[in-house]
Amino acid sequence: MLSALGLVVAIVLLIFGAYKRVGIFPMTLICSLIVILTSGLPLWDSYGTTYVTAFAGPFRNYILLFAASCLYSKVMELSGSATTIAHKIIGLVGEKNVVTASCIAGAILTYGGVSGFVLSYVLVPVMYGMFYRANIHRKYMYAVVMISCGTWTAGFLPYSASVSNVVPGTALGVGLGSAPLMGIVTSIILFVIQLIYINREVKKSQARGDNFAFGPSVNPETYTNENDTDLPSAFVAFFPLIAMIVSIIVGSQFGINGTMLAVVALLGASILCYLFNMKRLNAQDPKSWLTTALATSITSISGLAAVTGFAAVVALAPAYMSMLDTLIASSMNPYIKASLASFMFSLVSGSSSAGVGIVAESPELLEYFMTCGASLPIISRLISMFSMPGSALPNCAGNYVHLSVVELTQADCYPNTFRINFLFPIIICVGALAVAVLFL
């Protein structure tokens, strides 16, 4: 009982701290201490081994990805390529449709194979120019990213290459396209609701007089150049981006390691952008912007590492293990059991990937699903779908990556994120679950 109480208090405190703009690193240390003390865990081993080892994991696994992402983002910004792309898109869709166009572009990138971690670095430089010209508050750039990679493209839509879709489909032996009708219908409904909501919020924001403002580390002159003759041509601006996307999509079809593929594609795009804009970039002190870009990668990954460390401590709590045992032993409907397991483990761990991983790595749960007589494709789809809202609270590690790119905090962005990534998806997930229980 005390362990469960400590778990709840720690997660609530982490969310509260995020709203009060307290740094995520000290908050995870404090919240980990609460879990350790209420669960009777060894203090030094929990911090010195469990937390620190997990904290180091993102650096070990993703530091090259973040470095390549930050470098690509910086050269796209300083070369003027991001501004050119923004001008062309606005010229095509108009300023009133900037948010919708950004959401569609982000969804295409994500579904095409660009990982959620990389998306911000690819999309945000372009959105800076678009949102500046349309005078839309910067917090809606974060909302666009979350719509693009945090819900339907990752867990709802069949054949997505995301971990949330791949893991349950593989574990249950049904492939990536499980329950296609359920996935496609719920994806369309959710995306339409998200678009209606976010466009309405933008209009209300503009009516209040909320204005666009650049992030502290961004040079406004990079994006405020209205003279297209001073900017790279459309070919020069789009070619590195298209080459990167094509490389990721094609490479993913050959089973190449996803992280390595993204790093190579981003570095290749950065080199192309540099070669096309060498004169412009060399005039801006390459040592300075290269150092800044790579230093930013350390800052960006630190929030992810801190929340990962906290999640590792949480996984040691008896209440956490008890939750798994209770779910395994329960006699509830298999569709409900699969949905609840995915949602709860994603919620507590702060990661949809971790949530579906726990379900897929539980021999007892897998054996039950395989022998219960229910549709395995539907179980797989429900596990994928319910992992999305389960990882939408402020303790989700991935959120801090996107926040660091737009240079805002949870207090600035979470009211919209709660609706976009938690409330709307959970309503649709529950609706899909009800249909499965009653009719399938």
Side-chain angles (χ1 to χ4, degrees):
M1 179 63 182
L2 185 60
S3 177
L5 179 62
L7 210 58
V8 172
V9 170
I11 293 175
V12 171
L13 183 60
L14 186 65
I15 296 171
F16 179 77
Y19 265 94
K20 291 299 182 179
R21 304 175 192 270
V22 180
I24 187 61
F25 181 49
M27 282 306 304
T28 56
L29 290 175
I30 294 170
C31 293
S32 293
L33 180 62
I34 293 173
V35 174
I36 291 168
L37 294 179
T38 56
S39 297
L41 301 174
L43 182 62
W44 179 249
D45 286 346
S46 299
Y47 269 131
T49 301
T50 303
Y51 181 95
V52 171
T53 300
F55 184 94
F59 283 91
R60 181 179 62 251
N61 297 327
Y62 300 121
I63 187 59
L64 293 179
L65 176 62
F66 276 70
S69 298
C70 290
L71 178 61
Y72 171 77
S73 178
K74 182 59 69 175
V75 295
M76 286 291 285
E77 172 194 330
L78 295 181
S79 68
S81 295
T83 306
T84 293
I85 294 172
H87 285 194
K88 297 301 179 184
I89 293 176
I90 287 181
L92 182 66
V93 305
E95 293 183 359
K96 292 183 179 180
N97 298 312
V98 160
V99 173
T100 299
S102 298
C103 289
I104 293 173
I108 292 172
L109 289 172
T110 304
Y111 192 66
V114 176
S115 76
F117 288 153
V118 174
L119 180 66
S120 290
Y121 297 98
V122 175
L123 194 58
V124 167
V126 177
M127 285 197 293
Y128 257 120
M130 295 166 64
F131 279 52
Y132 159 71
R133 294 189 67 179
N135 194 28
I136 299 173
H137 196 283
R138 195 167 80 250
K139 66 184 177 182
Y140 295 107
M141 292 165 57
Y142 178 79
V144 167
V145 171
M146 297 306 291
I147 289 173
S148 300
C149 71
T151 50
W152 61 277
T153 57
F156 286 54
L157 206 56
Y159 300 104
S160 169
S162 74
V163 172
S164 299
N165 187 57
V166 172
V167 169
T170 303
L172 294 170
V174 296
L176 306 188
S178 58
L181 182 61
M182 175 186 286
I184 292 171
V185 170
T186 53
S187 294
I188 293 172
I189 294 172
L190 178 57
F191 190 41
V192 169
I193 292 173
Q194 289 172 328
L195 286 180
I196 292 172
Y197 170 78
I198 197 62
N199 278 288
R200 188 193 68 180
E201 289 301 304
V202 167
K203 289 180 181 178
K204 288 165 61 177
S205 172
Q206 291 177 319
R208 290 193 302 266
D210 296 340
N211 296 315
F212 177 85
F214 288 99
S217 69
V218 176
N219 180 7
E221 294 180 3
T222 305
Y223 294 98
T224 55
N225 185 355
E226 299 293 336
N227 186 359
D228 286 352
T229 59
D230 294 334
L231 295 171
S233 67
F235 173 81
V236 167
F238 277 98
F239 186 78
L241 173 61
I242 294 172
M244 179 199 66
I245 297 170
V246 172
S247 298
I248 292 175
I249 294 174
V250 173
S252 63
Q253 305 305 310
F254 293 93
I256 300 174
N257 178 277
T259 302
M260 182 184 73
L261 179 61
V263 170
V264 172
L266 285 161
L267 284 177
S270 300
I271 292 171
L272 283 174
C273 186
Y274 174 76
L275 293 176
F276 285 158
N277 301 279
M278 189 179 298
K279 184 177 179 181
R280 184 190 300 268
L281 290 169
N282 284 343
Q284 300 183 64
D285 189 4
K287 289 188 295 184
S288 176
W289 57 256
L290 180 61
T291 300
T292 300
L294 297 183
T296 301
S297 67
I298 302 296
T299 304
S300 298
I301 204 171
S302 295
L304 170 64
V307 177
T308 303
F310 169 68
V313 174
V314 166
L316 296 178
Y320 185 82
M321 301 308 298
S322 176
M323 182 171 64
L324 176 59
D325 294 338
T326 300
L327 275 171
I328 292 173
S330 68
S331 58
M332 64 180 70
N333 179 282
Y335 295 141
I336 297 176
K337 179 180 286 194
S339 302
L340 188 59
S342 178
F343 176 77
M344 291 302 298
F345 292 127
S346 297
L347 181 72
V348 175
S349 65
S351 167
S352 59
S353 301
V356 297
I358 293 169
V359 175
E361 292 170 9
S362 169
E364 295 88 351
L365 280 175
L366 286 182
E367 182 181 358
Y368 171 77
F369 293 143
M370 292 289 192
T371 58
C372 68
S375 168
L376 290 179
I378 292 176
I379 289 176
S380 174
R381 180 57 50 210
L382 289 171
I383 290 172
S384 298
M385 289 171 59
F386 271 88
S387 71
M388 294 291 101
S391 62
L393 294 181
N395 65 316
C396 175
N399 292 350
Y400 291 90
V401 176
H402 306 311
L403 287 169
S404 70
V405 177
V406 297
E407 298 182 271
L408 291 171
T409 66
Q410 292 282 16
D412 299 312
C413 301
Y414 195 70
N416 286 321
T417 306
F418 173 78
R419 296 174 178 86
I420 290 168
N421 290 83
F422 183 82
L423 183 61
F424 301 152
I426 196 64
I427 291 173
I428 291 173
C429 283
V430 170
L433 174 60
V435 170
V437 171
L438 295 174
F439 304 108
L440 301 177

